[in-house]
Amino acid sequence: MRDDLGLTLLWIIPLIGMILVLLIPKRAERSIKIVSLAATLATFILSLVITGAYINDLHTGGPGAQSLTKRAAANTLEVNPTTGLLLRANPDGDFITRQTWIPYFNIQYFLGVDGISLSLVVLTGLVSVLACLASWNINTQVKGYFALFLLLVTSMTGVFLALDLFLFYVFFEIMLLPMYFLIAVWGGANREYAAIKFLLYTLLGSVFILVAILLLYFWTPVSGGAQYSFDAIKLAQVAASGFYSTDIQRIIFLLFLVGFLVKLPGFPFHTWLPDAHVEAPTPISMILAGILLKIGGYGLIRMAWPLAPLGAQQMAYFVAALGVFSILYGALAAMAQTDFKRLVAYSSVSHMGYVTLGLAVMNLAGDGRYYAYGVAGAMFMMIAHGITSTGMFFLVGVIYDRTHNRDLNTMGGLFASMPGYGAVSFLIFFGSMGLPGLCGFIAEVFVVLAAFHYDYLLGILTATAVVLTAGYILWTLQRVFLGSNERYRGLPDLSAREWAISIPLVALTIGLGILPQTLILNWVGPSVSQMVQTVASARKPADPKTVAQVVVPPAVLSERSAQQ
C-alpha cells in the first residue's frame, strides 16, 4: 500500500465509520456497535501493517530506515510559480505524505511517522478496539455515543500523525468536543462538573500551545525576513542550528511545557484528571488513561524538546524536579484514596511523572547514552502505562457493573468468588507496580538509571517512589481481593467479551516485560536516538543578543511572488 494513502486512511477510516453510524437508524443498536467495532478494528490492523513495513525497512535499509528529518527533507514540495499548484507528490515508501493545504499561509497536509509516533498510533488502535468492546453494554443514546467515540478515535490518531503544527492543533482541538460530551452525557452523577473542568483545563493548555506555535511561525529576525512555516521538522532543524536566541527558546519551551503538562497531566495541572476519571464511563476512562494522557507526553517529545532545545537544557533540573514531585505526590495521593477509580487516576499522575523525568534528565556533559536511556524510558513508560492503565480502569469498571460499588473499605474477598478476574487483576496491577518480568519494570529501570546519572538526589527520590508505588498497589489488592466477604459471594466471573478485552492486555503486560527489545526498543530506539541527538547537539547563537535568523522556505517565496 502507498504510504501516503495508508497514513491518511489511519484517521479517515474511523471518520468514515462515524458517518456510517450517523446514517444507521438509531433503533438498529447492534448494527451501530458492529460498524463501530469494524472501523476501530480496521484502523488497528492498518496500523500493524504500516508498523510491519516500517520495521522491515529498518532491517533491510529501506527508505523508512532513514531518520524522520532526512525523509522529510527529501520529501519537499515543488510548486509551480505561476499557478501555485503542486508539481510532485511524495515518493512511495518513505512513510511521509505532504500536500499543500492552505498555500497562502504555507499550511500543509503533512503526515509522517517514525518509531515514536508509530508506537503510539498502534497503541491508539489497540485501546480503541478494546474500549469499543467495553462499550457494548452502553444502552442509552447508542447512536450518539458511538458517533462521538469514532470522532474521538479520528482526532487522536491524527494528533500522532501530524507533522504540520497547524494540522496538529486542529486535531488536538477536535478531540476536546467528543470527550466533553462523552463524559457529560454518559458519565456519573457529577458528570457535568467533571466534563466542564476537563474542557476548561485542556483549553487553557491549548492556549499555551497555540501561542508557542504562533511564536515559531511569526518570529521575525533582525534581517527583516520571516519563517512563516508550521513544518515541525524544519523548525526543529532551525532551533538546533542556533537561529533562535536562548531567551526565545526558553519562552517557547515554557509555553509548550505548561500546555502539555496539562494534558499529561503533571503537577500542578493534574486536578481535572481524578474528577474526569471518576465520572467518565468505563470505556472513556480506558481511552482517557490509555491514549489521551500520552498526547501530553508525545507533545513534549515531538515539540517541546526539539523545537526549543536550548530552553530545555536550561530548565532541565526544574522540569526533572517537577517530574519527581509528580511521581511522589501521585503515589502518596493514591495511597490516601478509598474510591477504587480515583486511586487508579492518581496512579496515572505518578506514572506520567516518569515521562517528564525521563525527558528532563539531560546530563549532556557525560555519557550521552544515559540521556537516551531516560528518553527511551519515557517512551516505554507511555506504552506500558497505556496497557496497564487501560486494564486497570477496565477492571474497576467490571466490578462496578456487578456491585455498583467502588469503596475500597467495603470490598474484600473477590478472589474467592471471581478467580479469573482476580488473576487478571493481579497481573495488570503488578505490571503497573513495576514487578520484574512485567512491562512497568523496564520503563522504571531506564528512568531511574538516567536519574541517578543526572543527579543523585533525584535518583534516590525516584527510587523511593518505586517503593511507595508497590505500597499502594499491594494494599489495594489486599483490600479488594483477600479475606472473605459474604456480600460478593456468587458474583459471576469474567464473561467471554470481558475475557476478549483482558487477554490482549495481559499478554502485552507480560510480553513487554520479557521481550522489550523485540516488541518495542529495537524499532522505537532509532527514533529516540535521533531526538536525543537533535537536542544534545543544539548550538547556541553566535551572538547572545541575536534573535532568530531564518530563511523563508522556497515554496513560500515562489508562491507569494506568483500571487504578486
Side-chain angles (χ1 to χ4, degrees):
M1 177 183 291
R2 285 170 54 91
D3 292 325
D4 54 349
L5 178 60
L7 295 182
T8 299
L9 284 176
L10 279 172
W11 69 268
I12 285 288
I13 289 175
L15 184 63
I16 294 173
M18 183 197 76
I19 295 171
L20 292 176
V21 164
L22 292 175
L23 294 176
I24 298 173
K26 65 179 181 179
R27 293 185 298 274
E29 295 182 356
R30 184 171 180 81
S31 298
I32 290 172
K33 294 176 180 179
I34 291 174
V35 168
S36 302
L37 180 60
T40 55
L41 191 59
T43 303
F44 177 51
I45 292 172
L46 179 58
S47 71
L48 293 178
V49 171
I50 294 176
T51 302
Y54 178 80
I55 294 174
N56 182 67
D57 270 17
L58 290 180
H59 290 161
T60 61
Q66 296 181 341
S67 68
L68 185 58
T69 301
K70 289 183 179 179
R71 285 185 277 132
N75 199 302
T76 56
L77 295 177
E78 295 177 5
V79 180
N80 188 310
T82 303
T83 64
L85 298 177
L86 180 69
L87 294 177
R88 181 180 65 84
N90 64 292
D92 290 341
D94 61 357
F95 301 94
I96 294 281
T97 180
R98 191 199 297 260
Q99 304 287 340
T100 55
W101 182 18
I102 308 175
Y104 184 79
F105 296 105
N106 196 26
I107 297 174
Q108 303 175 4
Y109 175 72
F110 183 17
L111 306 180
V113 291
D114 60 358
I116 292 173
S117 55
L118 198 51
S119 62
L120 294 171
V121 169
V122 173
L123 180 65
T124 302
L126 173 64
V127 174
S128 299
V129 171
L130 300 180
C132 190
L133 280 172
S135 303
W136 221 253
N137 56 1
I138 295 291
N139 50 26
T140 58
Q141 304 183 58
V142 174
K143 183 175 182 176
Y145 175 90
F146 281 96
L148 289 170
F149 180 90
L150 290 171
L151 180 60
L152 180 62
V153 175
T154 298
S155 57
M156 291 188 304
T157 305
V159 162
F160 294 128
L161 296 174
L163 293 178
D164 181 277
L165 296 182
F166 184 86
L167 182 62
F168 171 89
Y169 191 77
V170 169
F171 280 121
F172 187 87
E173 289 295 288
I174 290 174
M175 184 174 54
L176 304 184
L177 192 63
M179 180 57 74
Y180 169 79
F181 284 109
L182 286 167
I183 296 174
V185 177
W186 289 273
N190 205 20
R191 56 186 180 272
E192 292 89 353
Y193 169 78
I196 196 66
K197 190 173 183 180
F198 159 80
L199 185 65
L200 291 177
Y201 265 80
T202 311
L203 283 175
L204 173 66
S206 69
V207 169
F208 284 87
I209 296 169
L210 179 61
V211 173
I213 291 172
L214 293 178
L215 268 177
L216 290 166
Y217 180 78
F218 282 113
W219 186 252
T220 304
V222 173
S223 58
Q227 174 69 21
Y228 295 127
S229 176
F230 290 107
D231 185 331
I233 305 302
K234 184 181 293 294
L235 291 172
Q237 291 177 297
V238 169
S241 299
F243 284 105
Y244 298 128
S245 69
T246 304
D247 290 339
I248 250 325
Q249 290 202 39
R250 191 184 301 114
I251 293 171
I252 292 171
F253 177 77
L254 189 59
L255 289 168
F256 275 133
L257 180 68
V258 172
F260 288 119
L261 279 183
V262 171
K263 198 70 178 174
L264 194 61
F267 182 89
F269 310 108
H270 66 285
T271 58
W272 64 268
L273 183 68
D275 292 318
H277 270 311
V278 167
E279 301 303 329
T282 295
I284 304 308
S285 287
M286 293 167 64
I287 290 272
L288 182 58
I291 305 301
L292 259 69
L293 305 189
K294 310 308 175 290
I295 292 173
Y298 176 76
L300 294 175
I301 291 177
R302 180 67 75 205
M303 297 180 192
W305 264 258
L307 297 181
L310 298 180
Q313 292 177 24
Q314 287 201 348
M315 299 185 67
Y317 195 90
F318 167 76
V319 178
L322 193 62
V324 171
F325 188 86
S326 291
I327 295 170
L328 292 168
Y329 172 84
L332 290 171
M335 193 174 291
Q337 302 307 310
T338 57
D339 185 294
F340 201 177
K341 206 171 187 183
R342 190 174 287 271
L343 180 146
V344 178
Y346 274 108
S347 76
S348 292
V349 176
S350 180
H351 283 93
M352 289 298 97
Y354 285 96
V355 177
T356 308
L357 177 63
L359 290 171
V361 285
M362 301 171 60
N363 193 338
L364 304 179
D367 192 338
R369 290 179 298 177
Y370 285 96
Y371 180 36
Y373 292 160
V375 179
M379 269 305 305
F380 206 98
M381 176 58 77
M382 286 202 288
I383 303 299
H385 181 264
I387 299 299
T388 57
S389 66
T390 298
M392 290 163 75
F393 279 109
F394 167 69
L395 292 167
V396 173
V398 167
I399 195 60
Y400 185 76
D401 287 342
R402 287 161 169 75
T403 67
H404 300 288
N405 177 42
R406 293 195 303 261
D407 187 355
L408 292 170
N409 293 328
T410 62
M411 290 186 176
L414 280 176
F415 195 83
S417 56
M418 302 173 66
Y421 173 81
V424 171
S425 298
F426 271 86
L427 275 170
I428 297 293
F429 276 80
F430 282 159
S432 178
M433 186 179 73
L435 189 73
L438 301 178
C439 59
F441 176 74
I442 306 299
E444 290 179 3
V445 164
F446 272 100
V447 174
V448 171
L449 179 63
F452 265 108
H453 189 260
Y454 179 69
D455 183 86
Y456 282 120
L457 176 60
L458 295 181
I460 292 170
L461 291 174
T462 307
T464 303
V466 173
V467 179
L468 290 176
T469 302
Y472 74 76
I473 292 289
L474 292 174
W475 190 28
T476 300
L477 293 174
Q478 175 187 342
R479 287 184 287 175
V480 173
F481 293 100
L482 302 184
S484 60
N485 192 332
E486 292 299 323
R487 292 176 56 190
Y488 298 147
R489 184 177 297 276
L491 285 178
D493 210 338
L494 295 175
S495 66
R497 177 178 60 87
E498 291 165 344
W499 274 114
I501 298 170
S502 302
I503 288 173
L505 296 172
V506 169
L508 286 171
T509 300
I510 298 172
L512 291 176
I514 297 175
L515 300 171
Q517 285 287 129
T518 304
L519 295 180
I520 294 292
L521 295 175
N522 282 343
W523 57 280
V524 175
S527 300
V528 168
S529 297
Q530 180 202 348
M531 179 266 181
V532 169
Q533 180 62 29
T534 298
V535 175
S537 62
R539 296 182 299 182
K540 295 182 178 180
D543 182 359
K545 297 180 181 179
T546 303
V547 292
Q549 302 177 20
V550 211
V551 180
V552 183
V556 178
L557 288 174
S558 302
E559 181 184 317
R560 295 195 174 180
S561 63
Q563 292 170 352
Q564 293 172 356

